[in-house]
Structure formats: C-alpha cells, structure tokens
Amino acid sequence: MSGADFRLTLRASAPFRDLAADVAAKFAESAGSSAGAAASVGKAVERLAARVTSGSAHDADVEFEMERRDTRLIVRASSGNRIEETSCPLAG
C-alpha cells in the first residue's frame, strides 16, 4: 500500500497488538466513520493482527498501514513474510 495515510509498528505480543485495533478505530472515526463502524474496524484489525502474528516470536514486530480510499478504510498488516489486508466501510 504505497499511499498509506498512517503507519504503526508494534510488538506482535499483547497488549501492544491490541493497541493497533484501538488506533485503527480512532483513525476510522477521524476519517468520518460512526462510532459503531469504527468499532467494527477495530475488531477487523484484531482479527488481521492475529492472523499475521500466529506462530510469531514474542518479540516479533507487526506493521500496520492504514489508508482512506473514498468511503473505505484499507488496513494492511505485515509481520515477517506474512501480509494480510482488510477493507472496511467508513460511512456509518
């Protein structure tokens, strides 16, 4: 995702990974999403983070990139050679 509006790199372990969901929800709200839709974004990012960090070392990093594209928030998570992406509506 070359046009990322926001990048965040955290340790793959909890509670740091959980912070990414909170940040993504706040990012969605600041991009115009309702609180309910923003909460859905946070949950989607939790699932995304769990998939890319499954089996990773405790001290591994996970990088999140968030980009607003029209009425959608695109979130890409990567850790090691794993990359996952989700798209969530911003309109609420």
Side-chain angles (χ1 to χ4, degrees):
M1 184 182 315
S2 61
D5 294 316
F6 185 77
R7 285 188 178 91
L8 176 67
T9 302
L10 300 167
R11 290 280 179 229
S13 60
F16 304 109
R17 187 175 67 196
D18 301 336
L19 179 62
D22 295 338
V23 170
K26 289 293 182 189
F27 183 85
E29 280 189 81
S30 70
S33 182
S34 70
S40 294
V41 168
K43 295 228 181 276
V45 168
E46 284 176 6
R47 291 187 301 272
L48 194 69
R51 285 195 305 265
V52 298
T53 60
S54 177
S56 294
H58 182 71
D59 62 346
D61 287 338
V62 59
E63 181 175 298
F64 297 89
E65 295 180 351
M66 300 172 206
E67 177 184 0
R68 181 183 179 160
R69 289 189 198 160
D70 299 318
T71 61
R72 303 201 63 76
L73 175 63
I74 310 300
V75 180
R76 175 180 285 177
S78 59
S79 183
N81 62 354
R82 294 181 181 174
I83 299 171
E84 295 273 343
E85 185 174 289
T86 189
S87 173
C88 306
L90 289 172

